[in-house]
Structure formats: C-alpha cells, structure tokens
Amino acid sequence: MVVCGDDALARRLAAELRSVYGEPVTLVVPPAGRTPGPPVVGRARASALLGRVSAVVNRATGNNGDPEPGTPDRQLEAEELTDEVLAEAGVERAAALALVHDDDETNIRAALAARRLNPRLRLVIRLYNRRLGQYLEDVLDQAAALAVPGSSTGTGAFDASTTILSDADTAAPALTAAAVAGSSKVVQAEGLLLRAAERPPARTEDPDDDDPALCTLALLTDTATDTEGPGTAVPQLLPDEESVAAASRDRGRIVLETVSYSGPAQPVSRSVPLGSLLPARLRWSFVGLVLAVVALAITAVLTTGEHPLRAVYLTLLDLFSINEPAIGEPTSRQVLQLFSGLVGLLLLPVLLAAVLEVLGTFRSGAVTRRPPRGVSGHVVLLGLGKIGTRVLARLRELDIPVVCVEADPDARGMALARRLRVPVVLGDVTEEGVLEAAKIHRAHSLLALTSVDTTNLEAALYARSVDPRLRVVMRLYDDDFATAVYRTLRAAHPRALTRSRSVSYLAAPAFAGAMMGRQILGAVPVERKVLLIAAVDVAGHRPLEGRTVAEAFRPGAWRVLALDTAAREQDGDGPPPARADRAAGLVWDLHPGYVLRAEDRVVLAATGRGLAELLGRRPRRTVPAPGPGG
C-alpha cells in the first residue's frame, strides 16, 4: 500500500493500514519543514488554556523518538509527486495507492500518472469537488479497463477500481449527529439513509413491540466512568442478543434505524418569502396607520352623520391631501380633516421605507441574513470552510435551524448559506459580542469547525461559561489533543455533553476500507470508537457464503444488516425477507434463516478489524489499534 499526503490524514491512514490490516505501507510526505498543520505556537497556546503540557501534541508527529504502533514500513520525502517519486515509492508493484493531499490538482495529476505507470492499481483519491471526482473516476476506470480488460469492475483476478472520497463528506455525518442530539448518527450514501440512535437503559423488562430498531450496534459505557483512559470501561460493539438482554437495564445502547426518503431532496426555495419583504417594525407601522384611518372614519360617521362608505372615502382624501379644505363646514369636520392630514404626513415616510425595503430585498436576495430576534434551539456553526460547508448542508437536509459565524465574507460556504437563506454573523468568533449576536445563550448546541484549534477551544470555553449545559462539538486537528480536551471538559462539566472530533480520525477508516477494495457507505462513531457500514459481495467470503444470516453474525466483528436486491431477482430459496425498501433496492429485517449466496451483495456493520478478518487479511503481528478510536 502506498499513501501520499501532506497532512494528518495521510499519517492516520498509514497507521490504520499498518496496525489494523497488517499491510506493508509506504508513506510519501513533503519534507519535514513543509508539512502543513496548525502552528506549534497555536498548539502550545491551546494546551495552556487547559493547563496541559504541549509535548503531548508531539506524539502525532513522531517527535518523541519512539516508534508507535502503525508506523509505516517505509517513508519517503518529496517536494512533488513526479513519475520518478511514484516509481521509487513502488507504485508499479503496489496493490493500492491513496492520494490524500489537501490540494485537488495535486491528487489529480498524481492519479493520472499512477494509472499510466500501473493500470492494475487500485486508486483512492481525496477530492473535495464531487462532480469533478465523478468524472475523474469514470475516466480512470475506463483507462484501466482498456489497458487490462475486466480490471475496472474488480471481477477479475484483481481490483483496479477508482474510488473518490472526501474527508469532509466522510466526517460531516458524525459531526452533524454529535451536534444535533449527541445520541444519533446519520450515514447517507447513494439514497441510503441510516440513523444510529442512542437509547437509555430500559426501565422495564417488557420489550417494546413498536421499537423500529433493526438491531443493536453497541452497548455504551456508563457516563460516570467514561474517562477513555487505559483500563477503563469501553463500549461493546456489535453485541449478541444475550449481552443486550443482560445489560439492557444498566447501559445505554446504540440501535440502528432505517429512514427512507419520502421524495427528492428538499428543494431550495429561490423566491423571497413574503414575511421577509418588510421588517416587523414596518408591518406594525402599517397596522397602526390602518387603525388610525378606521378610527377617523368611525368618528366622522358619529359626528357628521355621513354614510360609512362616504366617511371612509372623505377620510382617505384628507389623508392623501387631495380633498378640498373644510372651510365653512362644522368644526368637527375641520378637526377630523386636520387629524387626517397629520396621519397622512406620518404615512409618507412609512410608504417610502416600504418601497425601498421591497426593492432592496429583491435586488439583494442573495445577501446573508441576520439571525432573527426570537431564534432559539438552533445550532451555532463556527466556520464555513470545507468541513463547515458540508456540515451546513447536512443540517439543512435534516431541517435543523442553524446560525453560522464566519470571519471571511468570501469563505467557501458563504454562497451555500445565501442560497439556503441561513443566518450568518460576520466576525471573528474570538471577539466580544460575536457569539452573542449568534444567540449562543439560546442555542441548542455549538459546532466549532474552524481550522484553528485555539479558536475552536476558546469558543467552546466561552460558550460553556454562558451555558454550562450547552452541547459542544469541536473539531481539533490533533487526536491526542482532542482526547485531552474531551477529558478536561468532561471533568469540569460532568452533566454537559462534550465531543471533540479530529477529521482525520473520522475519515481514515473509510479511506483505509476503500484501499482494501470495499465500498464503505459511512462510519458510525460510538463514543471514541467507529463502526463501518459497508457493502460487500458474498462471493469469496467464506464466513458469509452458504451460511444463514444468523450463522454469519460474528459478535464484536460484523453483522449483516440488509440484502441488496438491485443486481438480481430473488429466486425464492430460503425464508423470504421481512420487508424491503424499494427506493434503495435493499431488503431489511432479513430472516435469520435466509441463506446467503455467492451472487448476493449485503450491507453490513463491522469494526475495522472485523472487516479485515472477513477479507481474510489478518495482521501479521499483534499491535494495538492507532489512537483511542480502535
């Protein structure tokens, strides 16, 4: 395996391949002085905020002098990924190549060169531009098919497919779920929507017949002892039914639910809502003027004896100053005319303001909105960069109210925020008054997703001072630092929900799975561990082929969730499935006695080590998994 990258994702991916799957890895990185990342000063400052020694952060960069589990077999340093560098890395003999540079153009150039050097190579490319990635995937697969027939589909003796992934897309569901409820995780891919929901310990021993859960993915640890330190309790992934029944009253659990689309994705309204044409003050001004006109008309009817319609007509003429002066008429009529003229003077500026406001609204419909005064129960999203943009799209897909905070008016996600008419506060989150403008005191949760650790940590600490029970989710560059932040905030605020996430930590398992030749649909974080949702062909996998669904279940390793019926029609052997989701072509609630065939394709939940074992690839030596994620 060859991994080429310039940030933490490359090292995390190499460690995942080396320690979990036991694959020989060659890592190609820029020279040490050019490796991008948060400045060391910024890390030390963030550590000081927690009273932590900055040397902990150096573990991720290998500066402690001791080799860590998952260290690559070979590491090269190169300024650019030229043909000579790729050849020296062994691309011509490699089984898979991962290009995970932060720059799309660098990855594309290297992918074209690698496909030319080795048409049989399995490619995993990190691209943020999804449309470009789809075109590139088709081109590279076609090139492999022409060079070696049958290679692009993976049906031959080897798999030379191309997989385009984005760390932002991979991490966005986990970040969104942690902010929304802290107890639900959503995985969405190719029309498939899975929801992993947290259930508290059961209060009764009677089972709930209306429970929509398909299965139990994990048993959670007790929050009182969840310190994530060595030797402490850890969540139990993919437990069997006996374990679930025994721990149902003592431990919470993560269950899997299916959610089907009722129609196409939520359309984005390009029209201006009627309520946004005029501000509330102008609308109330109009209401007051109308009531004044009605009062004047009623007074005219009572004092002059005019017909109501004629009284209203005369009042409007006086209001617009187009009636004859009431000279020689009764005093009551003259007084009413003066009051009508005064109301007319008040009406002119209101009408002018309304016209200017309406014209401005239609002219600048793409201008960012300010947070409404009465907004509450919303998610405050800090940062509209690469990660924040994807998370914003996920939050709006779930119809969750969002208020964004961004310092750069030209940030990547500003266009999406304008199109979705999401309120945005422009300003530096570290400055006083910015979070107050985002109504942080009435927010449901805070998502700090800027690219600077100190900014995310400072915002989280300030939000905690405003509301100690506020749900906080932080994106932190270094996983060791994220663990330290998690422990400290949990100790300081034991009743509040705090989550610290590293994007590389969340994305690496999906990239590693793609390098191993599997289709990874998504990842479900369970505390600091990760479960993968993958689509696997039954053919060639002895633990699945010819076995029933019940026999194929391996507690703690993998569990079959659904059967993909899109490729073929069922011919009726074995007990029929319980129900089907026609839109996704998936059959859920498979009968435990259904026999899996070689031509079947199943969706399963598995741990990283479980998938490695399922493929018949066992680590050559026993080493612990990298980091606390497992």
Side-chain angles (χ1 to χ4, degrees):
M1 302 290 176
V2 179
V3 178
C4 303
D6 57 359
D7 58 8
L9 178 58
R11 298 187 179 277
R12 168 66 66 175
L13 176 56
E16 184 85 9
L17 292 170
R18 189 73 182 93
S19 62
V20 175
Y21 300 102
E23 295 291 335
V25 179
T26 297
L27 178 62
V28 182
V29 296
R34 293 193 54 191
T35 302
V40 177
V41 176
R43 293 187 184 183
R45 177 187 168 197
S47 300
L49 290 174
L50 290 172
R52 176 173 174 263
V53 181
S54 61
V56 178
V57 184
N58 294 331
R59 179 186 172 192
T61 57
N63 295 334
N64 54 5
D66 297 327
E68 297 182 7
T71 302
D73 299 84
R74 184 166 170 244
Q75 178 170 319
L76 303 178
E77 293 186 355
E79 294 280 349
E80 298 180 0
L81 293 179
T82 60
D83 290 1
E84 293 75 13
V85 172
L86 293 175
E88 184 180 357
V91 168
E92 296 177 350
R93 304 178 304 277
L97 168 66
L99 300 168
V100 294
H101 283 81
D102 193 44
D103 179 48
D104 285 2
E105 183 178 352
T106 300
N107 294 332
I108 293 174
R109 289 184 177 181
L112 297 175
R115 181 59 80 204
R116 184 178 65 255
L117 292 174
N118 185 0
R120 299 169 177 261
L121 185 68
R122 186 185 307 122
L123 289 174
V124 178
I125 308 172
R126 171 187 182 183
L127 287 184
Y128 181 81
N129 191 329
R130 288 178 290 186
R131 178 174 296 182
L132 175 61
Q134 182 178 0
Y135 296 149
L136 180 66
E137 183 175 339
D138 295 339
V139 169
L140 292 176
D141 281 347
Q142 184 176 359
L146 292 176
V148 183
S151 62
S152 62
T153 60
T155 57
F158 52 88
D159 178 7
S161 61
T162 304
T163 303
I164 305 296
L165 293 176
S166 168
D167 57 336
D169 285 330
T170 306
L175 293 170
T176 303
V180 172
S183 59
S184 62
K185 293 88 180 175
V186 177
V187 177
Q188 181 179 3
E190 301 178 358
L192 172 67
L193 189 63
L194 301 176
R195 177 177 181 268
E198 183 175 335
R199 300 289 175 82
R203 300 298 181 184
T204 63
E205 298 181 357
D206 297 332
D208 187 1
D209 296 334
D210 298 330
D211 190 355
L214 296 176
C215 65
T216 298
L217 293 178
L219 294 175
L220 301 176
T221 59
D222 187 357
T223 56
T225 60
D226 181 17
T227 60
E228 297 184 357
T232 60
V234 295
Q236 184 178 353
L237 304 182
L238 300 176
D240 53 22
E241 299 300 330
E242 291 77 10
S243 299
V244 173
S248 61
R249 301 192 63 182
D250 300 326
R251 302 169 64 179
R253 56 195 180 109
I254 299 291
V255 298
L256 184 68
E257 299 176 354
T258 60
V259 180
S260 301
Y261 284 121
S262 58
Q266 179 181 353
V268 178
S269 176
R270 299 185 180 274
S271 61
V272 180
L274 181 61
S276 65
L277 293 179
L278 297 177
R281 291 183 178 181
L282 279 179
R283 295 198 296 268
W284 282 111
S285 298
F286 274 114
V287 171
L289 291 174
V290 170
L291 293 177
V293 172
V294 172
L296 290 173
I298 293 175
T299 305
V301 171
L302 296 177
T303 57
T304 63
E306 296 284 355
H307 188 275
L309 292 179
R310 179 176 173 80
V312 173
Y313 176 68
L314 293 176
T315 302
L316 291 177
L317 291 179
D318 295 333
L319 188 70
F320 295 115
S321 301
I322 57 178
N323 197 9
E324 293 293 337
I327 300 176
E329 297 189 16
T331 304
S332 59
R333 172 76 181 103
Q334 294 176 346
V335 173
L336 287 175
Q337 190 177 57
L338 291 175
F339 275 108
S340 299
L342 178 61
V343 174
L345 292 177
L346 298 175
L347 177 62
L348 288 178
V350 175
L351 288 176
L352 179 61
V355 171
L356 294 178
E357 182 69 26
V358 171
L359 292 178
T361 299
F362 281 111
R363 183 179 63 253
S364 58
V367 175
T368 55
R369 299 175 56 205
R370 298 287 297 175
R373 288 189 174 185
V375 64
S376 63
H378 57 288
V379 175
V380 177
L381 175 61
L382 308 184
L384 287 176
K386 183 173 63 173
I387 304 298
T389 302
R390 291 289 192 252
V391 172
L392 174 60
R394 296 279 181 162
L395 289 171
R396 292 309 300 136
E397 288 175 2
L398 298 175
D399 293 326
I400 297 168
V402 186
V403 174
C404 300
V405 179
E406 175 58 53
D408 184 8
D410 298 323
R412 188 192 298 264
M414 290 297 293
L416 178 64
R418 296 189 188 100
R419 182 163 56 88
L420 299 179
R421 298 191 60 79
V422 174
V424 179
V425 176
L426 290 175
D428 188 351
V429 70
T430 60
E431 296 179 356
E432 187 176 357
V434 175
L435 281 178
E436 286 81 354
K439 315 297 182 186
I440 189 65
H441 58 285
R442 293 202 298 263
H444 177 267
S445 57
L446 171 69
L447 256 174
L449 302 181
T450 69
S451 58
V452 182
D453 285 6
T454 55
T455 300
N456 295 335
L457 180 57
E458 186 173 347
L461 295 177
Y462 177 77
R464 275 279 181 263
S465 66
V466 174
D467 184 1
R469 294 179 177 269
L470 180 70
R471 179 175 291 116
V472 173
V473 180
M474 287 176 290
R475 169 197 176 190
L476 297 177
Y477 181 82
D478 180 17
D479 192 56
D480 285 334
F481 183 57
T483 303
V485 171
Y486 173 83
R487 293 176 179 174
T488 304
L489 292 184
R490 281 295 297 271
H493 303 278
R495 296 186 178 182
L497 184 60
T498 303
R499 292 292 182 265
S500 55
R501 299 296 188 217
S502 168
V503 173
S504 62
Y505 164 78
L506 295 173
F511 280 82
M515 291 190 71
M516 300 301 295
R518 294 181 301 274
Q519 181 183 0
I520 304 297
L521 301 180
V524 175
V526 179
E527 295 174 358
R528 297 289 291 176
K529 292 184 175 294
V530 174
L531 276 177
L532 300 180
I533 307 297
V536 177
D537 292 324
V538 174
H541 298 120
R542 299 180 61 183
L544 300 179
E545 188 174 355
R547 299 177 181 269
T548 64
V549 173
E551 294 171 345
F553 174 39
R554 182 76 58 84
W558 64 77
R559 179 169 188 164
V560 176
L561 303 177
L563 177 68
D564 189 354
T565 60
R568 69 175 187 87
E569 294 291 334
Q570 300 295 323
D571 52 13
D573 288 351
R579 65 183 183 191
D581 182 353
R582 297 179 181 274
L586 299 172
V587 177
W588 300 94
D589 274 359
L590 287 171
H591 192 282
Y594 178 79
V595 179
L596 299 175
R597 304 179 179 185
E599 58 269 25
D600 285 337
R601 184 175 178 84
V602 295
V603 175
L604 50 83
T607 62
R609 291 183 179 273
L611 277 177
E613 181 180 353
L614 185 62
L615 282 184
R617 298 175 179 264
R618 296 178 179 270
R620 293 188 303 272
R621 56 191 178 94
T622 303
V623 294

